[in-house]
Each structure stands twice: as C-alpha cells, then as structure tokens.
Amino acid sequence: MKGYLFTYPKNPIRLTEGRETKEHPDWSPDGRKIAFTVINRGKFHIAVMDADGDNFEKLEDQALYPSWSPDGRTIAYDVIEDGDFHATIHLMASDGRYIRRLSHHSRNARDFAPDISPIGLAVSPASKTTTIWGRLKKSASDLR
C-alpha cells in the first residue's frame, strides 16, 4: 500500500496548557525550540518555547505559520493584512527583534505558509507572487 508514513510516540508529552489553539509548529534546526501559532478568539500570534515546553515567549501579533531558517537565526511568517485574509511574508530574528516585510500587500497577495529551505523560500500555491531566496538571504544577513 502506498501512502504517507507517520510515526507516533508511545508516550506523548503535553507541552502546552490553556484554552488557546496551538498549531503550525516548526522545530528549530537544533531541536531546542519550537515556534508555533497561538489562536484565541479570532486573534493570533507567533510564540516560541523550549522543546520541553518551558520558557514560553510571545513574539509577534497577527502572525501565522512560522518557519525557521536552516541556521536557526531567523523565522519567516505570515502577517494577515486585512480581514480578507490577504497575507504578506515577514522575517524576524529568532528572538522576535528586527522585523522586516519581504512581500508586498496587494489584492493578489496570498503568501501563506512560508517554508524556508536551504535552497530557497517556498510559499503555498495560493500565492501569485513569491519571495525569492536572494532577497530572503540578504534580509536575513541584515538582521544579524
């Protein structure tokens, strides 16, 4: 049978508490931190915490879909620009400082779910525009 292979731990550990929804987790390259989206009553933000659930820290409001860079120094993410769910891609240092917009808002801007890979930045197929790796790489180096 062809399909996806999923593995599940025998003894899962709950890392978060509270009524908020936590989703879209992305592990840092060194495995020490997790960035994720927190949703509560229609508002959302990006947070990070240690891999064991300690040291929870809110980083950015109105932000979704965090993605660590391969070197762990930056995080790409979406910002919802208006109620019509037009989004732009932003980049910040992994501690939440030095925020920079990479794509620009327009009626066709739907740059959802950025994913940074060693060869470039991928966004969801819903987007009609993309952010090129050279611009991302330059922006990331400017944040250091």
Side-chain angles (χ1 to χ4, degrees):
M1 182 171 134
K2 293 183 179 181
Y4 295 100
L5 174 65
F6 294 98
T7 59
Y8 297 96
K10 290 182 181 181
N11 298 309
I13 299 168
R14 184 179 184 141
L15 297 176
T16 61
E17 299 286 331
R19 293 179 175 231
E20 304 94 355
T21 301
K22 285 91 173 179
E23 57 187 32
H24 311 296
D26 192 48
W27 290 84
S28 64
D30 64 7
R32 294 180 182 180
K33 296 214 176 254
I34 307 168
F36 54 97
T37 302
V38 178
I39 302 171
N40 187 14
R41 297 181 184 175
K43 295 187 179 194
F44 40 88
H45 64 269
I46 289 177
V48 295
M49 67 180 173
D50 292 343
D52 63 3
D54 289 340
N55 298 316
F56 177 94
E57 181 182 3
K58 180 179 174 181
L59 293 184
E60 183 64 20
D61 284 324
Q62 293 306 105
L64 300 156
Y65 306 111
S67 177
W68 291 89
S69 64
D71 65 6
R73 293 183 182 192
T74 55
I75 299 172
Y77 59 97
D78 285 346
V79 170
I80 303 301
E81 297 287 335
D82 58 37
D84 204 16
F85 281 92
H86 290 96
T88 56
I89 295 176
H90 292 234
L91 187 70
M92 69 176 145
S94 60
D95 62 4
R97 297 180 302 144
Y98 308 116
I99 296 167
R100 173 167 294 142
R101 180 190 293 195
L102 295 180
S103 60
H104 298 283
H105 176 69
S106 73
R107 289 300 294 161
N108 294 327
R110 288 186 169 91
D111 288 340
F112 285 101
D115 185 24
I116 304 176
S117 72
I119 60 169
L121 174 69
V123 294
S124 78
S127 175
K128 295 186 180 186
T129 61
T130 58
T131 304
I132 60 171
W133 178 240
R135 186 169 175 196
L136 174 70
K137 194 172 179 182
K138 181 183 183 316
S139 296
S141 66
D142 290 347
L143 295 180
R144 294 184 189 140

